[in-house]
Amino acid sequence: MMPLGRKEVRTELRITPAKVERVRYMQEELICPECRKDGDGTIVQAQTPAPLMPHSPASPSAVAYVMFDKSFASVPYYRQEACMAQLGLKLPRETMANWYIRCALEYFQPVYDRLHGLLLQRGVIHADETTCQVLREKGRAAESTSYMWLYLSGSDGLPPIVLYEYQAGRSGDFPKAFLDGFSGIVQCDGYSGYNKVEDVILAVCCAHCRRKFYEALPTERQKQLKLLDINSETEVKDIPLPGPEQMKSIIPAEIGLMFFNKLFFIEKGLKGMEPDLRKAKRLEKEPPVWEKFWAWVETLKPLGGSKLEKAVNYAINHRETLQSYLLDGRCELSNNAAERRAKSYAIGRKNSLFHTSVAGAKAGALVYSMIETAKANKLNVFQYLYILLLYMPDHKDDPAAVEILLPWSSFIKEHCTGLIDVETITPENKPQLPL
């Protein structure tokens, strides 16, 4: 038989599961024999990497693994404990929770504070809030409802920032305090608490108003209609507004939905434009839609207590703020960007159910902030958590180092945009920060 050549038969994917290693640090000690003769017993010790947590086996990679599973993959501690056992490691869930909380509060807070300061310098901020539960909070019952607030930068062309903040309630004083010093546009839903924020313009989400009209439709009709998504890749034909004769044959809730879908269709065509150009195009195409919408709303006399009445009242009560997005091309028609980040937290909440302590809730806000900001800046999330935990023990009090560890720095892009690497970049063999 003579070789005829080779041909590819198939391709396989092989996965190597995570592995756990025990690393022992040995410190060399030196003493001068001549000095020792003179009674000088001075001992010189070799320098060792600073521990992440003194007197603990916690390492940057181990804690990043716990944080990544808990807040990115939404795996509760008790499931992580079972998975760790399969890797040959007996790691109690209480220990994992302690690692998560202590490292987040100690090492992520300086980065969070810097991101907060930079966020307040932006022109547009999205804001939203979602519920959570904390079992042990002084002066409150375990069943009490608490809130995870979130704030993120708008479409301003600058590196995105996403921040979470835990608070015990839903008072407007919380966004007022968080946004103190900000003077721009706040994109939010129609919640009245945002009215307490000073020196800002509120831009109420049009998707919320559209949803009110959608909910006023009969259930069977809802199944036949779709809510136009600006980010959808599907091509959509132009949506004509109903004429006077057509309005007589269509129920009011569907007419209201058609007006908003028309606005979303126009916005889909403006996606990706420079802010100034998008503002100019909006002012050219969208005010006539709003004028017809308000003229139509004034003709309605909905039944008291009906869903249509709620939709109409919602629109009328937010008439000015629904159109605030027209003032700035960096604004969006909806607040969906914030709602998507609220969903990221809600998925984890569904699996873990609650925070045991206030410290746990605050630590969760810090970790979610690092994760979502890393995702928004297209970083490898695990690698970014790892790099932060690798360098912050030595540099948490150094503002220049914190600046280098922000998600968009050239150093972070170099080390956090590729695959996970915890083997060549280690506590004892890591590159120096370019300070």
Side-chain angles (χ1 to χ4, degrees):
M1 303 294 288
M2 296 177 61
L4 193 60
R6 298 183 182 185
K7 64 177 182 179
E8 182 176 331
V9 179
R10 68 180 184 277
T11 300
E12 288 184 347
L13 295 175
R14 296 187 178 183
I15 296 177
T16 303
K19 64 179 180 180
V20 179
E21 297 177 316
R22 178 178 283 108
V23 178
R24 298 175 64 198
Y25 283 89
M26 307 298 292
Q27 186 179 43
E28 187 177 26
E29 297 182 337
L30 303 175
I31 189 170
C32 174
E34 294 301 321
C35 296
R36 195 172 189 178
K37 293 178 183 178
D38 298 332
D40 184 356
T42 301
I43 297 175
V44 178
Q45 296 178 327
Q47 188 175 359
T48 59
L52 187 66
M53 295 173 62
H55 314 296
S56 169
S59 70
S61 60
V63 177
Y65 192 85
V66 170
M67 289 178 168
F68 182 86
D69 265 10
K70 180 71 165 63
S71 298
F72 180 88
S74 302
V75 181
Y77 291 130
Y78 76 92
R79 292 185 195 166
Q80 289 194 52
E81 183 178 5
C83 292
M84 294 288 190
Q86 296 295 310
L87 299 174
L89 174 63
K90 185 177 180 180
L91 187 61
R93 64 195 74 174
E94 295 83 5
T95 300
M96 286 187 278
N98 183 45
W99 287 3
Y100 183 108
I101 294 171
R102 286 186 58 184
C103 290
L105 295 178
E106 185 170 358
Y107 300 130
F108 290 174
Q109 190 68 55
V111 179
Y112 180 96
D113 291 340
R114 178 58 180 149
L115 291 173
H116 184 192
L118 291 171
L119 182 63
L120 297 181
Q121 297 174 22
R122 300 294 181 86
V124 178
I125 293 179
H126 293 259
D128 200 5
E129 74 287 337
T130 186
T131 59
C132 64
Q133 184 181 4
V134 177
L135 296 186
R136 301 171 188 165
E137 187 164 14
K138 188 175 181 180
R140 306 186 77 214
E143 300 80 11
S144 301
T145 299
S146 299
Y147 286 85
M148 191 66 73
W149 294 76
L150 56 135
Y151 308 88
L152 60 144
S153 54
S155 306
D156 52 14
L158 297 173
I161 298 173
V162 184
L163 299 180
Y164 293 74
E165 184 192 39
Y166 168 74
Q167 292 293 354
R170 202 188 179 205
S171 166
D173 291 330
F174 299 128
K176 176 183 176 181
F178 188 92
L179 296 173
D180 183 37
F182 172 69
S183 57
I185 297 177
V186 175
Q187 295 215 243
C188 55
D189 55 26
Y191 173 50
S192 60
Y194 292 107
N195 293 326
K196 285 194 173 184
V197 182
E198 300 174 347
D199 301 322
V200 300
I201 297 172
L202 297 183
V204 169
C205 173
C206 289
H208 278 76
C209 193
R210 179 177 66 170
R211 196 177 304 150
K212 300 289 184 183
F213 284 98
Y214 180 78
E215 292 170 351
L217 290 169
T219 304
E220 288 303 316
R221 188 58 180 151
Q222 288 181 3
K223 296 177 182 178
Q224 301 171 16
L225 297 173
K226 290 185 177 180
L227 299 179
L228 181 59
D229 181 9
I230 294 173
N231 297 312
S232 172
E233 298 297 328
T234 306
E235 289 294 328
V236 181
K237 294 182 179 179
D238 192 5
I239 301 173
L241 294 177
E245 291 300 320
Q246 192 179 6
M247 285 187 179
K248 296 178 182 178
S249 59
I250 302 176
I251 60 175
E254 189 167 343
I255 294 173
L257 190 64
M258 292 173 70
F259 275 109
F260 280 101
N261 273 343
K262 177 68 173 180
L263 291 170
F264 276 82
F265 174 81
I266 296 172
E267 285 293 314
K268 185 175 174 64
L270 306 181
K271 183 182 176 183
M273 288 186 178
E274 290 296 318
D276 290 342
L277 179 58
R278 181 157 74 154
K279 178 182 177 181
K281 290 292 185 182
R282 278 175 173 169
L283 294 177
E284 175 187 332
K285 297 180 177 183
E286 296 182 17
V289 179
W290 282 109
E291 290 172 9
K292 291 179 181 179
F293 173 73
W294 296 121
W296 168 75
V297 166
E298 290 174 0
T299 66
L300 297 178
K301 295 180 181 179
L303 186 66
S306 66
K307 291 183 178 179
L308 178 61
E309 184 191 46
K310 292 179 181 178
V312 170
N313 288 342
Y314 186 93
I316 293 174
N317 291 338
H318 300 96
R319 179 166 182 163
E320 182 179 346
T321 51
L322 281 170
Q323 299 173 87
S324 294
Y325 75 96
L326 295 170
L327 300 173
D328 196 314
R330 295 170 298 178
C331 284
E332 300 296 336
L333 187 62
S334 74
N335 196 35
N336 286 348
E339 290 198 343
R340 285 194 297 270
R341 270 57 182 216
K343 186 177 180 181
S344 297
Y345 173 78
I347 292 172
R349 178 189 62 200
K350 183 178 181 181
N351 288 340
S352 296
L353 302 180
F354 52 78
H355 298 283
T356 301
S357 65
V358 173
K362 291 182 176 180
L366 291 169
V367 176
Y368 273 102
S369 298
M370 300 302 111
I371 287 175
E372 290 299 321
T373 302
K375 284 168 59 178
N377 284 276
K378 296 180 172 53
L379 300 180
N380 182 311
V381 173
F382 177 90
Q383 192 69 14
Y384 185 56
L385 295 175
Y386 174 66
I387 290 294
L388 286 179
L389 294 170
L390 195 62
Y391 285 94
M392 286 301 285
D394 292 321
H395 300 286
K396 63 181 180 179
D397 298 320
D398 184 354
V402 170
E403 202 74 25
I404 292 173
L405 292 172
L406 295 179
W408 48 80
S409 76
S410 57
F411 179 83
I412 289 297
K413 286 182 178 179
E414 179 184 354
H415 293 96
C416 297
T417 52
L419 299 177
I420 293 173
D421 181 9
V422 298
E423 295 179 343
T424 59
I425 305 176
T426 62
E428 62 277 5
N429 186 32
K430 61 186 179 186
Q432 293 295 316
L433 290 182
L435 295 170

